[in-house]
Amino acid sequence: MRMMITCTVNGEERTVLADTRDTLLGFLRERLGFTGTKEGCGNGNCGTCTVLMDGAAVNACLVLAQEASESEIVTIEGIADGDKLHPIQEALVAHGGTQCGFCTPGIVISAKALLDSNPDPSEAEIRHAVAGNLCRCTGYGKIVEAIAAAAAQRR
Amino acid sequence: MQDFEYHRPKSAAAAVEALCSGEARVLAGGTDLIPQLREGRRLARHLVDLKRIPELTAIVALPGGAISIGAAATLTSIAQHPSIAAHYPSIAQSARLVGSLQVQNRASLGGNICNAAPSADAVPPLICHEARATIAGRSGQREMAVGELFRGPGRTLLEADELLTAIILPPPPTRSAARYLRFTPRREMDIAIAGAGVWLSLDTRGSVAAARIVLASVGPTPMRAHAAEAALLGEQPSKALLIEAGRIAAGESQPISDTRGSADYRRELVSVLTKRALSDCCVQLKAEGAIA
């Protein structure tokens, strides 16, 4: 079935025709073209599709697009300020906290959700915050360092 | 994925009505249901979304000191709730064991119960606290102990047109403590090979007045270890007694061998986790002055 869905994505209200079965992930990627959000496992295990939904980090593959109707979504495309990277993104670049880059959008969103609610996280809290984001390249050392540095810079 | 109709009712009564549409399923967090639908492991013609029903997502204090948790309340909202963290810390902590933060931000306590996984981490602490389930159906409302809801893996006593609406936590008595421990090979994002929830209540002399032990992942449903509980009654909680209770609980458990662990390994885990959880309760009770 086809139906209209209205939600706010990266600060802009969007009304788009969608399929009743669309996940939020498919809706963002295929209907709206926000392909920065990646599909990894499609089952809520890997966290590459993490987006903010009304401020909370969620796996977009585990949300129906219809459930997001009237919600506020932030994807990786909504994190930088124009050409200026977000401090979390800058820190990931500076610390080499990215390799193939596939998990990076999800990591950035999880880190943002953490720092928005906890500006001074411990290392354990940082590790817990990205535990649902699998990275198979770098290991987590540099990612954790980068998030800690971003937190220090924002304070 | 088979096509379905999506319902977003405004009240529990309207949700029950929508559940009577035939081949309807409750959509709470969706963290299990959506992959199941996509992979064709479950079929549904109607999905009834509970998350916009205030009475089903609220956590409220009841007169007399009990707390009511709406069945669709997220695990994150439970973990962060000040009264739950203060009076039912084992429940707040167990909510943080399910999946990732992303999952906890969506998944509901009612979903963790109704999926009826023997490994459900949020369930043993609820049974330890004698939580009650409020169930709404077409013909009215009924209530039963959370511990009596389960029939087998993935199966509960709920009828297809019934809705779990709330979980009621009775006020914990003074001189009582609860703890849930599980074992996973990985620190995060894993399913318990075995889990043990325990609850201890002491009398004024520091002897065990009541005990509840609930085991996860070692039977077709979350299960009580009644003999181990009985062994604790009336006794001072010495180290030897706690070890003995763990040993008895291991004997009562009914684990199977599967890819996550052998039955023997699971029994050993039950023994260790039960003893440790009891010992943690004693540390708490000592800090509160209930044990000399």
Side-chain angles (χ1 to χ4, degrees), chain A residues 67, chain B residues 6-9 11-12 15-16 19 26-29 47-57 71-73 108 163-165:
Chain A
E67 296 179 88
Chain B
Y6 170 81
H7 303 258
R8 192 186 272 186
S11 68
V16 169
L19 276 180
V26 167
L27 173 62
L47 292 188
V48 183
D49 189 353
L50 305 182
K51 286 184 300 296
R52 311 273 177 140
I53 305 176
E55 62 193 289
L56 294 188
T57 54
S108 67
L163 178 67
L164 174 63
T165 54

Side-chain angles (χ1 to χ4, degrees), chain A residues 1-3 19-21 23 39 42-47 50 53-54 56-59 61-64 66-71 106 110 127-134, chain B residues 1-8 27-32 34-39 41 45 47 49 51-52 80 96-97 99-106 186-189:
Chain A
M1 250 187 301
R2 293 286 167 138
M3 35 100 59
D19 189 285
T20 44
R21 295 163 288 184
T23 61
E39 175 162 20
N43 271 327
N45 291 312
C46 76
T50 304
M53 184 171 176
D54 298 323
V58 303
N59 294 310
C61 72
L62 296 184
V63 178
L64 293 174
Q66 301 189 78
E67 296 179 88
S69 141
E70 294 158 42
S71 290
S110 286
R127 287 187 179 274
H128 183 61
V130 295
N133 294 84
L134 302 190
Chain B
M1 203 191 299
Q2 182 198 20
D3 208 357
F4 51 79
E5 197 178 322
Y6 170 81
H7 303 258
R8 192 186 272 186
L27 173 62
T31 54
D32 282 303
I34 290 170
Q36 287 166 356
L37 291 172
R38 191 169 35 230
E39 292 164 14
R41 285 183 284 138
R45 294 198 184 281
L47 292 188
D49 189 353
K51 286 184 300 296
R52 311 273 177 140
Q80 291 180 342
R96 281 290 184 227
L97 294 175
S100 60
L101 289 176
Q102 290 95 316
V103 166
Q104 292 158 20
N105 285 339
R106 297 292 290 172
R186 292 183 291 183
R187 223 178 318 169
E188 306 258 7
M189 295 288 291

Side-chain angles (χ1 to χ4, degrees), chain A residues 8-19:
Chain A
T8 303
V9 182
N10 300 330
E12 200 182 318
E13 188 175 287
R14 308 291 294 259
T15 300
V16 184
L17 193 64
D19 189 285

Side-chain angles (χ1 to χ4, degrees), chain A residues 20-64:
Chain A
T20 44
R21 295 163 288 184
D22 280 354
T23 61
L24 177 58
L25 175 59
F27 178 73
L28 290 169
R29 286 180 58 87
E30 312 295 333
R31 314 265 178 213
L32 293 173
F34 290 112
T35 53
T37 304
K38 305 303 180 196
E39 175 162 20
C41 68
N43 271 327
N45 291 312
C46 76
T48 54
C49 67
T50 304
V51 298
L52 296 179
M53 184 171 176
D54 298 323
V58 303
N59 294 310
C61 72
L62 296 184
V63 178
L64 293 174

Side-chain angles (χ1 to χ4, degrees), chain B residues 52-70:
Chain B
R52 311 273 177 140
I53 305 176
E55 62 193 289
L56 294 188
T57 54
I59 301 174
V60 290
L62 301 178
I67 290 186
S68 170
I69 303 175

Side-chain angles (χ1 to χ4, degrees), chain A residues 65-87:
Chain A
Q66 301 189 78
E67 296 179 88
S69 141
E70 294 158 42
S71 290
E72 210 158 298
I73 307 298
V74 176
T75 70
I76 188 65
E77 288 89 347
I79 296 292
D81 180 10
D83 286 341
K84 189 170 163 25
L85 292 180
H86 187 277

